[in-house]
Amino acid sequence: MSIFLNSDYGRNKLTVKQILTTPVLFFAFGFGSGLAKKMPGTMGTIAAIPVYLAFIQADIVLYSILTLLVCFFGIQICDKAAKQLGEHDFGGIVWDEVAGYLVTMWFVPFSWNAVLIGFVLFRIFDILKPWPIKWIDQKVEGGFGIMLDDLLAGLFSAIILYCIIQFWIS
């Protein structure tokens, strides 16, 4: 029984080996987490947690720069991956989840409670896609479209997480 979704991916039928050995696809698939048979978006968000833990070792300025780079290069990564797969916003492309989670956690002081609550909030917004996230997901094409709905889900999650921390946890 394989942990991977398929033996080939996208309309262009890329193999697991191609995805794991092509740098753009490796990043687009969240270091391989997007290959998961079930819940690749959730697995991509889980893969974002170690990235977040590495980034928070720096000050807020460097965290901000790194997060902006993840977002900026994510547009190109997701766009190129979609083209190589022959399919827009293929479920295994989870770099947008990595970026969205980093946005969720951007101005939040570190705590394991914040990591968990941020994870849950981001997954809720990413899955349910309330307006305008759903509209963006359906209408905006290319790498920018793949990234934008998750960045907005991250922003909504960040606002709620910040409020939770300010008013209930601290």
Side-chain angles (χ1 to χ4, degrees):
M1 181 174 195
S2 175
I3 63 166
F4 299 124
L5 181 65
N6 298 315
S7 57
D8 52 46
Y9 295 82
R11 288 191 188 112
N12 292 338
K13 301 197 182 300
L14 302 181
T15 65
V16 170
K17 182 178 179 184
Q18 287 173 302
I19 290 166
L20 294 177
T21 59
T22 305
V24 165
L25 294 172
F26 179 72
F27 283 108
F29 275 73
F31 318 109
S33 63
L35 293 168
K37 187 180 281 191
K38 297 195 185 231
M39 302 182 305
T42 299
M43 296 301 125
T45 308
I46 291 171
I49 293 172
V51 176
Y52 164 72
L53 294 173
F55 283 14
I56 62 164
Q57 302 305 309
D59 63 17
I60 190 64
V61 173
L62 186 54
Y63 183 96
S64 298
I65 291 168
L66 293 170
T67 299
L68 289 170
L69 288 171
V70 165
C71 296
F72 176 76
F73 286 111
I75 294 168
Q76 285 86 26
I77 288 168
C78 292
D79 189 62
K80 288 180 182 180
K83 287 176 181 168
Q84 288 179 5
L85 289 159
E87 196 169 325
H88 175 71
D89 208 359
F90 180 78
I93 297 175
V94 297
W95 191 254
D96 49 335
E97 273 80 7
V98 174
Y101 184 74
L102 293 174
V103 168
T104 298
M105 304 304 293
W106 200 328
F107 292 103
V108 176
F110 173 79
S111 75
W112 288 108
N113 284 336
V115 169
L116 179 61
I117 295 167
F119 174 85
V120 171
L121 287 170
F122 177 71
R123 291 310 305 143
I124 288 170
F125 277 101
D126 190 36
I127 292 166
L128 296 180
K129 299 189 185 312
W131 188 91
I133 298 170
K134 186 173 190 136
W135 184 87
I136 289 168
D137 184 52
Q138 294 172 340
K139 302 291 184 188
V140 183
E141 294 290 321
F144 184 68
I146 295 169
M147 290 289 294
L148 186 58
D149 68 302
D150 287 76
L151 296 177
L152 195 54
L155 179 62
F156 288 2
S157 301
I159 292 166
I160 293 172
L161 179 58
Y162 185 79
C163 290
I164 289 170
I165 289 170
Q166 291 302 308
F167 300 113
W168 287 289
I169 294 181
S170 58

